[in-house]
Amino acid sequence: MLDITSKPLVEITGMCKWYGEFSALHDINLSVHEGEKVVVCGPSGSGKSTMIRCINQLEAHQKGTISVNGAEVSPDMKNIEQIRREVGMVFQSFNLFPHMTILDNLTLGPMRNRGVSRADATDLAMHYLERVHIAQQAEKYPPQLSGGQQQRVAIARSLCMKPKVMLFDEPTSALDPEMIAGVLDVMIELAEEGMTMIVVTHEMGFARKVADRVVFMDEGEIIEVAEPEEFFNNPQSDRAQLFLSQLLGH
Amino acid sequence: MRGYVSQATPRNRRIRDDTGFDLGQFARTLTQVGQAVLVFFIIGYLIWRGAQAMEYNWQWYRIEPFFYRVIDGETIWGPLVRGLVQTLKLAGIAGVIAILIGFATAFARLSSSISGRVIATTYLEAVRNTPLLVQLFLFYFVLAPIFGIDRFWAGVLCLSFFEGSFAAEIIRGGILGVDKGQYEGGDAIGLNKVDKYRFIIIPQSLPLILPPLTGLLISLIKHSAIVSVIAVSELTTAGLNLIADTFMAFEIWFLVAGMYLAVTITLSIGVSLFERTLQKGR
Ligand SMILES: Nc1ncnc2c1ncn2[C@@H]1O[C@H](COP(=O)(O)OP(=O)(O)OP(=O)(O)O)[C@@H](O)[C@H]1O
Ligand SMILES: [Mg+2]
């Protein structure tokens, strides 16, 4: 089971973020321990993406603290790359590099950030490509693959950095329905191996199966945190009830 | 209507039967080529008639030594060829410097450094809002004596700074044309800024940058004619000198224009072939 006494891997306290005058996030507090899986959900525009993007400083926060693996991250820090290699990120739109082969997509990070040799990086890349079941496509270019395959490559690309925590921002919402299962399977396998994960998703099946906690956000705040069964069957807040009824379509 | 199940036709048995010779299309192409030839013929005829009315004395038979002479079995290049070589050298060096200036200026404008942005913007506005001829005089009469540079390099530097301002905007546009997600992809795997531009952003902006940049190199070759006003010995200067010696203004200007045209067209064709191989590599 989870070791709650240890120091959290990701710790967010009193974090606020504004876009100009617009308050995108307000007083966010969240701790994620090693091996924990957190699913984040909430209506569009509620700040889910913004929150997880602050963790690896793709977005800068203005107030409060965020620490990853004990090190505080801040907008003006010098070696942000050292934090980012501990934090894998998978985007809704994959963001693979279309001008490089799949293999080169995977070896670039380890070679440039971690100083791994090309031979070792290639071994690493092939290992993870096998795990996401696309080793045969290593020499192809991203646009030649289906959306589901591209997303699995993107997951493998993050794993090649040997991250301590993986962030997913709606990894299946740009995919055709028949592609979703393949990506979710890979994520479930990853969870079963004990990876720490923060996943923004509306896939309730995935949340029920994998999540230790569900975090519900609305209008830039965390409204409710609960275990998945409890959250889906018996949401406490009005806003979560409204959200879930809309999600289920009645 | 009743439902039905149709017999499937495998892809390799779907035969396309419209790939033969299209006579109608061929006739249309032929007509258009004919029209173009006719227009050129009429223009040529008008020029010839005009020159005849002026009693111009065409002397095309005298042009060979402008290109080369053979003395004792040894080939000596004539003034037009030597001028062309100088033009290519001038444009080549200026092109390289212009691209370097272009990259530096583009990155300065995109940077978060205020002084970088101010310097870059001042340079762009100054170069674009003053006449090229005035810039050339500034380089030749003011900067050249101060820094002790000769007329050739004064010409090269003037052209570099002039074209560099256009290169900067082309390069900036190319870099801005790369999707925002690509920066985030690079950030997410922990690339530093230099690596991110080197491996992700610049390679993807090149296909956006290269075509307009070739257009720029072609206009650089044409603009290089202006340095003849400070008597740099390039193709246009060679033409002017020959006319002073021979009074064959019509022939020589046609020749000079034809030589510029030959170079720029060769360059365009070369580049479009190069672009095609780039695309095939995908
Ligand atoms: N760069 C930006 N500038 C200004 N406002 C922004 C910017 N990015 C996001 N926002 C605003 O911040 C709020 C939160 O956006 P965010 O993308 O985090 O929402 P989300 O919960 O991920 O929504 P979705 O489910 O649609 O992805 C939104 O109201 C959005 O309009
Ligand atoms: Mg989002």
Side-chain angles (χ1 to χ4, degrees), chain B residues 85-110:
Chain B
V85 170
Q86 281 304 104
T87 289
L88 293 179
K89 197 171 138 195
L90 187 79
I93 300 173
V96 171
I97 303 177
I99 290 171
L100 294 178
I101 293 177
F103 269 102
T105 311
F107 280 114
R109 285 201 72 190
L110 292 168

PDB file of all heavy atoms in Angstrom, chain B residues 85-110:
ATOM      1  N   VAL B  85      31.925  36.492 -62.696  1.00  0.00           N
ATOM      2  CA  VAL B  85      32.552  35.793 -61.574  1.00  0.00           C
ATOM      3  C   VAL B  85      32.576  36.701 -60.343  1.00  0.00           C
ATOM      4  O   VAL B  85      32.250  36.279 -59.232  1.00  0.00           O
ATOM      5  CB  VAL B  85      33.980  35.333 -61.952  1.00  0.00           C
ATOM      6  CG1 VAL B  85      34.721  34.837 -60.721  1.00  0.00           C
ATOM      7  CG2 VAL B  85      33.919  34.251 -63.015  1.00  0.00           C
ATOM      8  N   GLN B  86      32.919  37.983 -60.576  1.00  0.00           N
ATOM      9  CA  GLN B  86      32.935  38.923 -59.443  1.00  0.00           C
ATOM     10  C   GLN B  86      31.541  39.096 -58.839  1.00  0.00           C
ATOM     11  O   GLN B  86      31.375  39.155 -57.620  1.00  0.00           O
ATOM     12  CB  GLN B  86      33.467  40.291 -59.899  1.00  0.00           C
ATOM     13  CG  GLN B  86      34.976  40.358 -60.018  1.00  0.00           C
ATOM     14  CD  GLN B  86      35.673  39.976 -58.708  1.00  0.00           C
ATOM     15  OE1 GLN B  86      36.208  38.871 -58.601  1.00  0.00           O
ATOM     16  NE2 GLN B  86      35.662  40.870 -57.729  1.00  0.00           N
ATOM     17  N   THR B  87      30.539  39.169 -59.723  1.00  0.00           N
ATOM     18  CA  THR B  87      29.155  39.306 -59.245  1.00  0.00           C
ATOM     19  C   THR B  87      28.777  38.114 -58.371  1.00  0.00           C
ATOM     20  O   THR B  87      28.189  38.275 -57.290  1.00  0.00           O
ATOM     21  CB  THR B  87      28.184  39.417 -60.437  1.00  0.00           C
ATOM     22  OG1 THR B  87      28.369  40.686 -61.048  1.00  0.00           O
ATOM     23  CG2 THR B  87      26.744  39.292 -59.985  1.00  0.00           C
ATOM     24  N   LEU B  88      29.134  36.914 -58.832  1.00  0.00           N
ATOM     25  CA  LEU B  88      28.790  35.716 -58.058  1.00  0.00           C
ATOM     26  C   LEU B  88      29.516  35.715 -56.718  1.00  0.00           C
ATOM     27  O   LEU B  88      28.945  35.341 -55.685  1.00  0.00           O
ATOM     28  CB  LEU B  88      29.132  34.448 -58.851  1.00  0.00           C
ATOM     29  CG  LEU B  88      28.278  34.225 -60.104  1.00  0.00           C
ATOM     30  CD1 LEU B  88      28.708  32.960 -60.829  1.00  0.00           C
ATOM     31  CD2 LEU B  88      26.799  34.149 -59.741  1.00  0.00           C
ATOM     32  N   LYS B  89      30.772  36.150 -56.743  1.00  0.00           N
ATOM     33  CA  LYS B  89      31.549  36.183 -55.513  1.00  0.00           C
ATOM     34  C   LYS B  89      30.931  37.182 -54.519  1.00  0.00           C
ATOM     35  O   LYS B  89      30.688  36.862 -53.355  1.00  0.00           O
ATOM     36  CB  LYS B  89      32.986  36.596 -55.857  1.00  0.00           C
ATOM     37  CG  LYS B  89      34.005  36.291 -54.780  1.00  0.00           C
ATOM     38  CD  LYS B  89      35.417  36.533 -55.335  1.00  0.00           C
ATOM     39  CE  LYS B  89      36.257  37.237 -54.298  1.00  0.00           C
ATOM     40  NZ  LYS B  89      37.494  37.798 -54.885  1.00  0.00           N
ATOM     41  N   LEU B  90      30.636  38.372 -55.069  1.00  0.00           N
ATOM     42  CA  LEU B  90      30.022  39.434 -54.256  1.00  0.00           C
ATOM     43  C   LEU B  90      28.713  38.948 -53.634  1.00  0.00           C
ATOM     44  O   LEU B  90      28.489  39.040 -52.421  1.00  0.00           O
ATOM     45  CB  LEU B  90      29.760  40.615 -55.196  1.00  0.00           C
ATOM     46  CG  LEU B  90      29.270  41.942 -54.666  1.00  0.00           C
ATOM     47  CD1 LEU B  90      30.444  42.691 -54.079  1.00  0.00           C
ATOM     48  CD2 LEU B  90      28.670  42.754 -55.816  1.00  0.00           C
ATOM     49  N   ALA B  91      27.842  38.381 -54.502  1.00  0.00           N
ATOM     50  CA  ALA B  91      26.523  37.956 -54.027  1.00  0.00           C
ATOM     51  C   ALA B  91      26.658  36.764 -53.074  1.00  0.00           C
ATOM     52  O   ALA B  91      25.924  36.664 -52.089  1.00  0.00           O
ATOM     53  CB  ALA B  91      25.629  37.589 -55.204  1.00  0.00           C
ATOM     54  N   GLY B  92      27.607  35.878 -53.369  1.00  0.00           N
ATOM     55  CA  GLY B  92      27.789  34.694 -52.509  1.00  0.00           C
ATOM     56  C   GLY B  92      28.191  35.101 -51.103  1.00  0.00           C
ATOM     57  O   GLY B  92      27.569  34.678 -50.116  1.00  0.00           O
ATOM     58  N   ILE B  93      29.226  35.957 -51.008  1.00  0.00           N
ATOM     59  CA  ILE B  93      29.690  36.369 -49.678  1.00  0.00           C
ATOM     60  C   ILE B  93      28.589  37.160 -48.965  1.00  0.00           C
ATOM     61  O   ILE B  93      28.264  36.907 -47.801  1.00  0.00           O
ATOM     62  CB  ILE B  93      30.968  37.227 -49.785  1.00  0.00           C
ATOM     63  CG1 ILE B  93      32.080  36.419 -50.461  1.00  0.00           C
ATOM     64  CG2 ILE B  93      31.430  37.675 -48.406  1.00  0.00           C
ATOM     65  CD1 ILE B  93      33.316  37.224 -50.766  1.00  0.00           C
ATOM     66  N   ALA B  94      27.987  38.100 -49.700  1.00  0.00           N
ATOM     67  CA  ALA B  94      26.934  38.921 -49.079  1.00  0.00           C
ATOM     68  C   ALA B  94      25.767  38.043 -48.635  1.00  0.00           C
ATOM     69  O   ALA B  94      25.152  38.290 -47.592  1.00  0.00           O
ATOM     70  CB  ALA B  94      26.459  40.000 -50.048  1.00  0.00           C
ATOM     71  N   GLY B  95      25.455  37.012 -49.421  1.00  0.00           N
ATOM     72  CA  GLY B  95      24.348  36.112 -49.062  1.00  0.00           C
ATOM     73  C   GLY B  95      24.608  35.421 -47.743  1.00  0.00           C
ATOM     74  O   GLY B  95      23.725  35.358 -46.870  1.00  0.00           O
ATOM     75  N   VAL B  96      25.834  34.892 -47.582  1.00  0.00           N
ATOM     76  CA  VAL B  96      26.161  34.186 -46.338  1.00  0.00           C
ATOM     77  C   VAL B  96      26.056  35.140 -45.147  1.00  0.00           C
ATOM     78  O   VAL B  96      25.426  34.829 -44.127  1.00  0.00           O
ATOM     79  CB  VAL B  96      27.577  33.570 -46.421  1.00  0.00           C
ATOM     80  CG1 VAL B  96      28.011  33.042 -45.068  1.00  0.00           C
ATOM     81  CG2 VAL B  96      27.598  32.461 -47.472  1.00  0.00           C
ATOM     82  N   ILE B  97      26.657  36.338 -45.302  1.00  0.00           N
ATOM     83  CA  ILE B  97      26.614  37.288 -44.185  1.00  0.00           C
ATOM     84  C   ILE B  97      25.165  37.714 -43.904  1.00  0.00           C
ATOM     85  O   ILE B  97      24.745  37.826 -42.748  1.00  0.00           O
ATOM     86  CB  ILE B  97      27.489  38.528 -44.460  1.00  0.00           C
ATOM     87  CG1 ILE B  97      28.933  38.089 -44.736  1.00  0.00           C
ATOM     88  CG2 ILE B  97      27.475  39.488 -43.278  1.00  0.00           C
ATOM     89  CD1 ILE B  97      29.876  39.219 -45.080  1.00  0.00           C
ATOM     90  N   ALA B  98      24.381  37.907 -44.989  1.00  0.00           N
ATOM     91  CA  ALA B  98      22.990  38.334 -44.800  1.00  0.00           C
ATOM     92  C   ALA B  98      22.207  37.291 -44.002  1.00  0.00           C
ATOM     93  O   ALA B  98      21.396  37.633 -43.135  1.00  0.00           O
ATOM     94  CB  ALA B  98      22.319  38.574 -46.149  1.00  0.00           C
ATOM     95  N   ILE B  99      22.457  36.004 -44.276  1.00  0.00           N
ATOM     96  CA  ILE B  99      21.727  34.959 -43.551  1.00  0.00           C
ATOM     97  C   ILE B  99      22.145  34.943 -42.078  1.00  0.00           C
ATOM     98  O   ILE B  99      21.303  34.801 -41.183  1.00  0.00           O
ATOM     99  CB  ILE B  99      21.957  33.593 -44.226  1.00  0.00           C
ATOM    100  CG1 ILE B  99      21.228  33.571 -45.566  1.00  0.00           C
ATOM    101  CG2 ILE B  99      21.468  32.460 -43.340  1.00  0.00           C
ATOM    102  CD1 ILE B  99      21.533  32.372 -46.424  1.00  0.00           C
ATOM    103  N   LEU B 100      23.455  35.141 -41.837  1.00  0.00           N
ATOM    104  CA  LEU B 100      23.912  35.202 -40.440  1.00  0.00           C
ATOM    105  C   LEU B 100      23.255  36.379 -39.714  1.00  0.00           C
ATOM    106  O   LEU B 100      22.732  36.243 -38.604  1.00  0.00           O
ATOM    107  CB  LEU B 100      25.436  35.325 -40.381  1.00  0.00           C
ATOM    108  CG  LEU B 100      26.214  34.106 -40.909  1.00  0.00           C
ATOM    109  CD1 LEU B 100      27.714  34.350 -40.838  1.00  0.00           C
ATOM    110  CD2 LEU B 100      25.828  32.859 -40.112  1.00  0.00           C
ATOM    111  N   ILE B 101      23.277  37.548 -40.380  1.00  0.00           N
ATOM    112  CA  ILE B 101      22.625  38.724 -39.786  1.00  0.00           C
ATOM    113  C   ILE B 101      21.149  38.440 -39.568  1.00  0.00           C
ATOM    114  O   ILE B 101      20.563  38.789 -38.545  1.00  0.00           O
ATOM    115  CB  ILE B 101      22.798  39.962 -40.701  1.00  0.00           C
ATOM    116  CG1 ILE B 101      24.262  40.378 -40.754  1.00  0.00           C
ATOM    117  CG2 ILE B 101      21.933  41.122 -40.210  1.00  0.00           C
ATOM    118  CD1 ILE B 101      24.528  41.540 -41.690  1.00  0.00           C
ATOM    119  N   GLY B 102      20.545  37.763 -40.565  1.00  0.00           N
ATOM    120  CA  GLY B 102      19.125  37.448 -40.477  1.00  0.00           C
ATOM    121  C   GLY B 102      18.810  36.598 -39.255  1.00  0.00           C
ATOM    122  O   GLY B 102      17.871  36.893 -38.497  1.00  0.00           O
ATOM    123  N   PHE B 103      19.589  35.543 -39.034  1.00  0.00           N
ATOM    124  CA  PHE B 103      19.347  34.688 -37.865  1.00  0.00           C
ATOM    125  C   PHE B 103      19.537  35.470 -36.572  1.00  0.00           C
ATOM    126  O   PHE B 103      18.720  35.403 -35.657  1.00  0.00           O
ATOM    127  CB  PHE B 103      20.272  33.465 -37.885  1.00  0.00           C
ATOM    128  CG  PHE B 103      19.666  32.279 -38.577  1.00  0.00           C
ATOM    129  CD1 PHE B 103      20.039  31.943 -39.870  1.00  0.00           C
ATOM    130  CD2 PHE B 103      18.702  31.501 -37.946  1.00  0.00           C
ATOM    131  CE1 PHE B 103      19.462  30.858 -40.517  1.00  0.00           C
ATOM    132  CE2 PHE B 103      18.121  30.417 -38.587  1.00  0.00           C
ATOM    133  CZ  PHE B 103      18.504  30.095 -39.881  1.00  0.00           C
ATOM    134  N   ALA B 104      20.649  36.235 -36.515  1.00  0.00           N
ATOM    135  CA  ALA B 104      20.925  36.988 -35.292  1.00  0.00           C
ATOM    136  C   ALA B 104      19.785  37.965 -35.003  1.00  0.00           C
ATOM    137  O   ALA B 104      19.293  38.053 -33.865  1.00  0.00           O
ATOM    138  CB  ALA B 104      22.249  37.736 -35.428  1.00  0.00           C
ATOM    139  N   THR B 105      19.339  38.679 -36.045  1.00  0.00           N
ATOM    140  CA  THR B 105      18.285  39.668 -35.845  1.00  0.00           C
ATOM    141  C   THR B 105      16.958  39.005 -35.468  1.00  0.00           C
ATOM    142  O   THR B 105      16.243  39.472 -34.588  1.00  0.00           O
ATOM    143  CB  THR B 105      18.096  40.510 -37.116  1.00  0.00           C
ATOM    144  OG1 THR B 105      19.370  40.961 -37.559  1.00  0.00           O
ATOM    145  CG2 THR B 105      17.190  41.685 -36.871  1.00  0.00           C
ATOM    146  N   ALA B 106      16.659  37.887 -36.162  1.00  0.00           N
ATOM    147  CA  ALA B 106      15.403  37.197 -35.866  1.00  0.00           C
ATOM    148  C   ALA B 106      15.371  36.751 -34.408  1.00  0.00           C
ATOM    149  O   ALA B 106      14.382  36.954 -33.702  1.00  0.00           O
ATOM    150  CB  ALA B 106      15.228  35.994 -36.792  1.00  0.00           C
ATOM    151  N   PHE B 107      16.473  36.143 -33.935  1.00  0.00           N
ATOM    152  CA  PHE B 107      16.491  35.673 -32.551  1.00  0.00           C
ATOM    153  C   PHE B 107      16.473  36.838 -31.574  1.00  0.00           C
ATOM    154  O   PHE B 107      15.848  36.759 -30.519  1.00  0.00           O
ATOM    155  CB  PHE B 107      17.690  34.762 -32.294  1.00  0.00           C
ATOM    156  CG  PHE B 107      17.451  33.371 -32.783  1.00  0.00           C
ATOM    157  CD1 PHE B 107      18.173  32.844 -33.825  1.00  0.00           C
ATOM    158  CD2 PHE B 107      16.449  32.599 -32.208  1.00  0.00           C
ATOM    159  CE1 PHE B 107      17.921  31.561 -34.291  1.00  0.00           C
ATOM    160  CE2 PHE B 107      16.195  31.317 -32.658  1.00  0.00           C
ATOM    161  CZ  PHE B 107      16.929  30.796 -33.707  1.00  0.00           C
ATOM    162  N   ALA B 108      17.145  37.946 -31.947  1.00  0.00           N
ATOM    163  CA  ALA B 108      17.109  39.118 -31.076  1.00  0.00           C
ATOM    164  C   ALA B 108      15.670  39.625 -30.938  1.00  0.00           C
ATOM    165  O   ALA B 108      15.221  39.972 -29.850  1.00  0.00           O
ATOM    166  CB  ALA B 108      18.016  40.222 -31.618  1.00  0.00           C
ATOM    167  N   ARG B 109      14.937  39.640 -32.062  1.00  0.00           N
ATOM    168  CA  ARG B 109      13.546  40.126 -31.999  1.00  0.00           C
ATOM    169  C   ARG B 109      12.655  39.194 -31.212  1.00  0.00           C
ATOM    170  O   ARG B 109      11.693  39.618 -30.581  1.00  0.00           O
ATOM    171  CB  ARG B 109      12.980  40.295 -33.411  1.00  0.00           C
ATOM    172  CG  ARG B 109      13.505  41.508 -34.121  1.00  0.00           C
ATOM    173  CD  ARG B 109      12.575  41.910 -35.243  1.00  0.00           C
ATOM    174  NE  ARG B 109      11.344  42.487 -34.753  1.00  0.00           N
ATOM    175  CZ  ARG B 109      10.296  42.750 -35.517  1.00  0.00           C
ATOM    176  NH1 ARG B 109      10.330  42.463 -36.793  1.00  0.00           N
ATOM    177  NH2 ARG B 109       9.219  43.285 -35.013  1.00  0.00           N
ATOM    178  N   LEU B 110      12.936  37.886 -31.288  1.00  0.00           N
ATOM    179  CA  LEU B 110      12.094  36.918 -30.587  1.00  0.00           C
ATOM    180  C   LEU B 110      12.482  36.770 -29.123  1.00  0.00           C
ATOM    181  O   LEU B 110      11.756  36.168 -28.342  1.00  0.00           O
ATOM    182  CB  LEU B 110      12.196  35.546 -31.262  1.00  0.00           C
ATOM    183  CG  LEU B 110      11.592  35.426 -32.667  1.00  0.00           C
ATOM    184  CD1 LEU B 110      12.012  34.123 -33.316  1.00  0.00           C
ATOM    185  CD2 LEU B 110      10.085  35.526 -32.605  1.00  0.00           C
TER     186      LEU B 110
END
